[in-house]
């Protein structure tokens, strides 16, 4: 142990105390051992440093910092260097504001488009997501600031995120859900990692030794600190055994006595706690020597420009029928409330207070003075006829209509999932009405996750900006008017309809237990393998120029590594960037696996007529599958197609190669995993996963601490009253009314009323204590007297 001496001078109580936070954002300080406190703040697309009232949902004020585009937008740049710069910029702002650790990046897989937090995650592809996370982390940590890679692992939905139990087969976990974390851990050595709220195969992530010790530390060599997500601690004794170092936020010593007794009774080894303390002391060393001299005087000005540059690079041109780029000075009508009041980030813990804010309308005005504007629709999604009509009149007179539409806050947030993939109906109605009077419509889309776009034909061009940060409005205008050539490419599939998504029917069927019946077939892995038509495929994006791919070559080394090269030529009239994607398509006839998987990519800049060679490296892992019988990665012998594409459906060049490895053997499982016909069933799943006990919803008499007020309110008067109390309190915080159409109210209500009883004292210690929580549980189970007795005795 590195800090043996300090640790041997600390009492057991002091060591236990160090492993839990001091406050909402700080770790504990021990002056007698020269142990300073660390300050933690949310990321990941900017800093949310709170100096006043604290919360984990982005409600109370935070200091103004640069709001960069959110991860779903940033990923569309496919630019590791740029993302490293963003990480570095956030790291420098952290140094300036005295923040030691930024809580990001978020790298969970997008299993289903409805996950409310998809805007905070990079991609549906683990390789891309892992590479981008690693770049972000390396950039941020280069400033001496720490990070927290989150949420480990399988936190792929917001609905009941604190209690859901993910049932997943080993290959899906190893080949699809974990590699993004694995790449980031191995390539960037994050200082900390945040465990997720949910359970995996019956065990909460905080207590999950297999996940936190066997896989993370033993297999991947992670040597940093594991902390909980805010309030994710389940059982502190088990968590120590699993190697979970730091509980956040402070639970005000709630578990200290239990841990101490466990050590005294021989249930927990003191050396497990010592290991955690040792790692925490190393973390403190690593994150308290930040480089303040590296922070420029005008950092916020610089970072605003960087945010603009990143937003320019992340805008995805989905369609262009010879209308873009627009000419400077053209007469335009800008339509849409979102063009004036931009939605540029998502709600929840990642929400930052921007230093500046440029709307699309402002951006357009910087290129042409001949602009009229009409808001056209309300954010609240009700058709207001006069606003609607006025917009149609304004649009009719313009040469070009720039129509800004997309998801509003009520549709997309941390804390709850979406219920469909549509944009608000009032926006669609207006788009149809405007298309009747003006055919020259350029649609600018905002929103952090995939949407259905049946109205696509109404636009001559479509530019997707996602949630593009504080400079996004300017960046969109830069792209529309051609000051910058679009180069972003989608990092998630846009299906024709939600029903086409493999797990659409059962995604929210039983939120407390989520079997991943589809295994690793998510996103394009499903659509390409099932030959299902999509609206826009993974990797798709247009440019104002065109690129030609030629001369694909493969050089192989003895150790199974290889380099794929090709020449890319800009065949159009404008300079631009191209993102070249390398997919592997196995032809081995062995285990079931996706038809095509991304294993490399390159982004390059070319002047008109210029050609350059790209080189992408592969290693044996690029071809490997996880053999769950041997618990190891293996490569199947046989043929593989290496495919270079402009997106996953547009393969421009391919080469067939032979690779040596183990003999391919067909998996002994349901045909579904080979044919992908129809929807997978539980019976199919049980051919790739052990039988598991079905979760039966609890009823009065059997409720436990994992139940929430929401779940018990129908059978318990006390819970109903508490529910009403929560509604009232939240209404007071959010404008006075009980209003489920107010996004802030809805987010808070969903989160608070669905909080498992056990988490209430951890996240709201001023309003709830463990004895009170037990009292509520007893009464909900119909045992009022027992509850009262326990309350009086302060039993926990
Ligand atoms: C979120 C984390 C966040 C934490 C602190 C939690 O609700 O899941 O991503 O870092 O709060 O705000």
């Amino acid at each position: 142990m590195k800090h043996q001496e300090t640790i041997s001078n600390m009492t057991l109580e002091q060591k236990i105390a160090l492993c839990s936070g001091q406050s909402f954002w700080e770790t504990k300080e021990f002056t007698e051992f020269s142990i300073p406190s660390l300050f933690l703040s949310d990321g990941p697309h900017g800093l949310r440093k709170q100096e006043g009232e604290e919360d984990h949902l982005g409600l109370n004020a935070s200091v103004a910092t640069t709001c960069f585009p959110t991860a779903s937008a940033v990923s569309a740049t496919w630019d590791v260097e740029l993302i490293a710069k963003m990480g570095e910029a956030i790291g420098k702002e952290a140094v300036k504001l005295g923040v030691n650790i930024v809580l990001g990046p978020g790298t969970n897989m997008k299993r289903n488009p409805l996950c409310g937090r998809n805007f905070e995650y990079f991609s549906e592809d683990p390789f891309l997501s892992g590479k981008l996370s690693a770049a972000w982390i390396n950039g941020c940590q280069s400033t001496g600031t720490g990070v927290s890679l989150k949420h480990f692992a399988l936190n792929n939905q917001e609905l009941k995120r604190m209690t859901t139990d993910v049932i997943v087969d080993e290959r899906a976990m190893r080949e699809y859900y974990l590699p993004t974390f694995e790449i980031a851990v191995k390539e960037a050595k994050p200082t900390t990692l945040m465990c997720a709220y949910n359970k995996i195969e019956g065990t909460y992530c905080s207590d999950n030794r297999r996940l936190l010790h066997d896989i993370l530390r033993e297999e991947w060599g992670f040597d940093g600190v594991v902390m909980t997500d805010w309030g994710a601690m389940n059982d502190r004794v088990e968590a120590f055994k699993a190697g979970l170092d730091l509980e956040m936020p402070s639970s005000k010593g709630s578990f200290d006595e239990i841990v101490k007794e466990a050590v005294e009774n021989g249930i927990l080894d003191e050396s497990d706690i010592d290991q955690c303390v040792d790692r925490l002391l190393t973390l403190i060393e690593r994150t308290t020597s930040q480089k303040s001299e590296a922070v420029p005087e005008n950092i916020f000005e610089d970072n605003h420009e960087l945010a603009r540059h990143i937003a320019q690079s992340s805008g995805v041109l989905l369609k262009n029928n010879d209308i873009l780029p627009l000419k400077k000075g053209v007469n335009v009508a800008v339509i849409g409330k979102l063009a004036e009041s931009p939605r540029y980030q998502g709600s929840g813990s990642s929400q930052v207070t921007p230093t500046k804010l440029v709307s699309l309308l402002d951006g357009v005005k910087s290129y042409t003075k001949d602009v009229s504007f009409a808001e056209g629709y309300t954010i609240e999604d009700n058709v207001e006829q006069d606003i609607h009509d006025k917009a149609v009149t304004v649009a009719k007179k313009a040469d070009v209509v720039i129509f800004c539409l997309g998801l509003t806050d009520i549709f997309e947030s941390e804390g709850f999932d979406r219920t469909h993939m549509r944009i608000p109906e009032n926006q669609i109605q207006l788009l149809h009405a405007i298309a009747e009077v003006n055919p020259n419509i350029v649609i600018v889309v905002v929103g952090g996750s995939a949407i259905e776009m049946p109205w696509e034909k109404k636009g001559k061009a479509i530019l997707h900006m996602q949630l593009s940060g504080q400079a996004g409005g300017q960046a969109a205008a830069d792209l529309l008017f051609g000051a910058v050539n679009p180069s972003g490419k989608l990092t998630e599939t846009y299906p024709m309809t939600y029903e086409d998504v493999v797990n659409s029917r059962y995604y929210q069927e039983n939120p407390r237990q989520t079997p991943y019946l589809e295994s690793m077939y998510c996103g394009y892995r499903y659509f390409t393998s099932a030959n299902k038509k999509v609206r826009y495929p993974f990797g798709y994006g247009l440019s104002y120029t065109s690129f030609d791919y030629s001369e694909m070559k493969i050089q192989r080394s003895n150790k199974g590594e290889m380099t794929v090269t090709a020449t890319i030529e800009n065949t159009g009239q404008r300079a631009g960037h191209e993102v070249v994607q390398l997919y592997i398509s196995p032809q081995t006839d062995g285990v079931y696996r996706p038809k095509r998987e991304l294993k490399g990519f390159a982004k390059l800049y070319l002047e008109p007529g210029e050609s350059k060679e790209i080189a992408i490296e592969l290693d044996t892992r690029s071809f490997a599958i996880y053999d769950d019988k041997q618990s190891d990665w293996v490569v199947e012998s046989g043929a593989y197609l290496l495919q270079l594409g402009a997106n996953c459906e547009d393969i421009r060049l391919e080469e067939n190669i032979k690779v040596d490895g183990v003999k391919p053997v067909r998996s002994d499982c349901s045909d579904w995993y080979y044919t992908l016909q129809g929807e997978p069933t539980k019976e199919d799943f049980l051919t790739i996963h052990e039988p598991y006990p079905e979760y039966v919803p609890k009823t009065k008499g059997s409720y436990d601490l994992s139940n929430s007020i929401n779940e018990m309110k129908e059978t318990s008067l006390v819970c109903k009253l508490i529910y009403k109390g929560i509604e009232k309190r939240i209404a007071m915080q959010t404008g006075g009314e009980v209003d489920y159409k107010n996004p802030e109210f809805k987010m808070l209500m969903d989160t608070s009323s669905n909080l498992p009883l056990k988490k209430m004292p951890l996240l709201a210690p001023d309003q709830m204590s463990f004895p009170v929580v037990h009292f509520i549980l007893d009464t909900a189970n119909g045992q009022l007297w027992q509850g009262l007795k326990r309350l009086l005795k302060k039993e926990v």
Side-chain angles (χ1 to χ4, degrees), residues 64-131:
T65 54
T66 311
C67 178
F68 290 94
T70 70
S72 60
V74 165
S75 63
T77 67
W78 295 66
D79 189 335
V80 280
E81 279 161 30
L82 195 55
I83 291 172
K85 277 194 191 147
M86 170 171 158
E88 186 186 346
I90 293 175
K92 283 183 182 165
E93 290 192 14
V95 178
K96 187 173 172 77
L97 298 182
V99 170
N100 305 89
I101 294 175
V102 184
L103 304 175
T107 203
N108 296 91
M109 287 295 94
K110 303 188 194 206
R111 173 175 176 244
N112 179 290
L114 298 189
C115 170
R117 224 171 164 184
N118 275 354
F119 69 88
E120 252 190 272
Y121 301 137
F122 288 110
S123 175
E124 67 185 24
D125 182 83
F127 178 80
L128 177 62
S129 177
K131 291 285 176 187

Side-chain angles (χ1 to χ4, degrees), residues 160-198:
K160 304 240 186 265
R161 63 173 166 160
M162 296 210 170
T163 41
T164 196
D165 185 9
V166 174
I167 310 292
V168 62
D169 68 281
E170 191 68 15
R171 281 195 55 210
M173 183 162 96
R174 298 296 192 143
E175 294 176 28
Y176 186 66
Y177 290 100
L178 294 188
T180 180
F181 289 98
E182 182 180 358
I183 294 170
V185 163
K186 289 183 174 166
E187 294 186 9
K189 292 193 172 301
T191 35
T192 84
L193 184 137
M194 186 189 288
C195 85
Y197 287 120
N198 50 281

Side-chain angles (χ1 to χ4, degrees), residues 10-23 26-30 32-33 35-37 233 236 240 245-260 263 273-274 276-277 280-281 284:
M10 292 174 85
T11 62
L12 178 60
E13 287 84 347
Q14 285 169 325
K15 291 187 287 190
I16 297 171
L18 182 69
C19 295
S20 175
Q22 168 71 32
S23 64
E26 287 156 302
T27 63
K28 284 211 175 80
E29 171 189 52
F30 282 90
E32 60 272 50
F33 303 112
I35 299 176
S37 155
M233 178 60 76
R236 192 55 180 114
F240 267 121
D245 307 293
L246 178 64
E247 182 207 13
M248 285 305 290
S250 163
S251 61
K252 310 224 156 111
S254 300
F255 301 120
D256 291 8
E257 204 48 43
I258 300 170
V259 175
K260 195 173 155 221
V263 173
I273 301 177
D274 292 351
C276 294
V277 172
L280 277 165
L281 296 177
I284 292 167

Side-chain angles (χ1 to χ4, degrees), residues 512-581:
R512 288 290 297 264
Q513 186 180 53
T514 321
Y516 287 12
L517 305 183
E518 72 284 355
S519 187
M520 77 281 277
Y521 293 105
C522 290
Y524 75 89
R525 280 168 169 68
Y526 168 71
F527 289 107
T528 51
S529 312
N531 287 323
K532 210 170 225 180
K533 190 171 178 313
V534 299
R535 177 115 20 217
Y536 296 114
F538 173 86
Y540 174 87
L542 303 174
S543 160
Y544 296 148
T545 188
S546 50
F547 300 95
D548 189 50
Y549 294 39
S550 63
E551 291 176 60
M552 178 173 180
K553 291 195 192 89
I554 297 160
Q555 286 153 28
R556 304 176 73 150
S557 81
N558 296 335
K559 289 186 208 137
E561 283 143 11
M562 52 187 90
T563 309
V564 179
T565 57
T567 302
I568 313 297
E569 185 188 350
N570 181 346
T571 50
Q573 306 300 314
R574 293 184 53 121
H577 288 90
E578 172 66 330
V579 176
V580 181
Q581 299 149 42

